Amino acid sequence: MKPIENKGPKKIYRKNLTLSCFSIIGMIIGYLIFHPYTMFIYLIMNKHQRGDVSFHIEDIFTAFLGTLTPEMFPMAIAFAFFGGLNGLLIGLIIDKKERLHAAAHENEKKKVALETLQRLMITLSHYLLNANTITAGMARRCLKYNSAEDMKDSIDIIEEQAKKIEAVIMALKKITDIKVADYTSHGKGLIIDITQEIEEQLGKNDVQSS
């Protein structure tokens, strides 16, 4: 049996790393895109106010280079902070969606496991209760007989039912790990067919008896 690994710290580390990456990317975008774009719009508006409606490709480079001057450093910090905050918010939204998806997937797996357990218990109850009912009936019938010869048929039936109970136990020993397939919107869970396993065990018992 494998030891249970504590994956909590790893998940927290991975989450923090992801959020940090989103924040850093957001800061870079804020500094290299949002800030120059704002400076470019500001430059164009100033030109229009002066009556200059012309546009030159050099205006883009002028706006970008203007963001690198020391005078623009406070504004650059503000845009970087704004971009980092947006990146953090996007990272949190994505993380929340992933956690909701993982929770929904886990709930579906638990649902399938519960259905598997229910069917397993129904199957076991069917075999064990039938065997117990028949065995108890034959035992009561044996009490009415006076000779072993009269009891022979009832004892044979009791032995047959004992083999069925043994088959159920052997099937349970063989199926030590009930696994269910992943439950998706396009697929169905695989439920262990213990009935087939029990029938195979009964067939083996019949071969051994013969």
Side-chain angles (χ1 to χ4, degrees), residues 1 10 17 20 27 34 39 54 63 72 89 103 111 123:
M1 185 176 180
K10 292 184 179 179
L17 181 62
S20 298
M27 293 174 68
F34 291 161
M39 291 297 297
S54 62
M72 290 296 174
L89 291 176
K111 177 182 177 182
T123 302

Side-chain angles (χ1 to χ4, degrees), residues 21-207:
C21 290
F22 272 99
S23 298
I24 293 173
I25 293 173
M27 293 174 68
I28 295 173
I29 292 175
Y31 181 75
L32 296 180
I33 297 179
F34 291 161
H35 189 198
Y37 176 76
T38 303
M39 291 297 297
F40 173 72
I41 296 299
Y42 179 74
L43 179 63
I44 295 298
M45 290 177 62
N46 281 341
K47 290 181 63 175
H48 284 185
Q49 289 177 358
R50 295 194 302 267
D52 184 4
V53 294
S54 62
F55 172 77
H56 304 283
I57 194 66
E58 291 82 5
D59 295 337
I60 299 177
F61 293 102
T62 301
F64 180 77
L65 293 175
T67 62
L68 303 179
T69 59
E71 294 80 7
M72 290 296 174
F73 184 73
M75 185 177 291
I77 294 296
F79 274 97
F81 177 78
F82 175 75
L85 182 61
N86 278 275
L88 178 62
L89 291 176
I90 293 173
L92 289 173
I93 292 173
I94 294 175
D95 178 70
K96 183 176 181 180
K97 287 184 177 180
E98 289 180 350
R99 285 190 287 110
L100 289 175
H101 177 74
H105 181 68
E106 188 65 25
N107 288 336
E108 290 293 344
K109 289 176 64 178
K110 290 180 179 179
K111 177 182 177 182
V112 176
L114 181 59
E115 291 178 356
T116 302
L117 181 59
Q118 290 175 341
R119 295 193 183 188
L120 177 63
M121 297 308 298
I122 291 173
T123 302
L124 293 179
S125 298
H126 170 74
Y127 278 94
L128 294 178
L129 288 177
N130 281 355
N132 181 69
T133 300
I134 295 174
T135 300
M138 291 300 102
R140 287 192 295 269
R141 182 180 294 182
C142 287
L143 294 176
K144 300 178 182 179
Y145 296 140
N146 296 322
S147 62
E149 186 66 26
D150 295 333
M151 298 180 186
K152 185 178 183 304
D153 292 338
S154 297
I155 292 176
D156 290 341
I157 295 176
I158 292 174
E159 184 179 0
E160 179 183 352
Q161 298 306 312
K163 290 180 180 179
K164 289 185 178 181
I165 295 175
E166 181 184 2
V168 172
I169 296 174
M170 294 301 296
L172 286 176
K173 288 176 65 177
K174 186 174 182 179
I175 305 175
T176 57
D177 186 17
I178 300 176
K179 296 181 179 179
V180 294
D182 289 341
Y183 223 87
T184 64
S185 57
H186 304 287
K188 294 182 178 179
L190 298 177
I191 297 180
I192 296 298
D193 189 3
I194 194 172
T195 303
Q196 180 180 356
E197 186 64 35
I198 293 174
E199 294 298 335
E200 290 178 0
Q201 292 294 331
L202 287 173
K204 292 180 182 179
N205 290 341
D206 291 340
V207 172

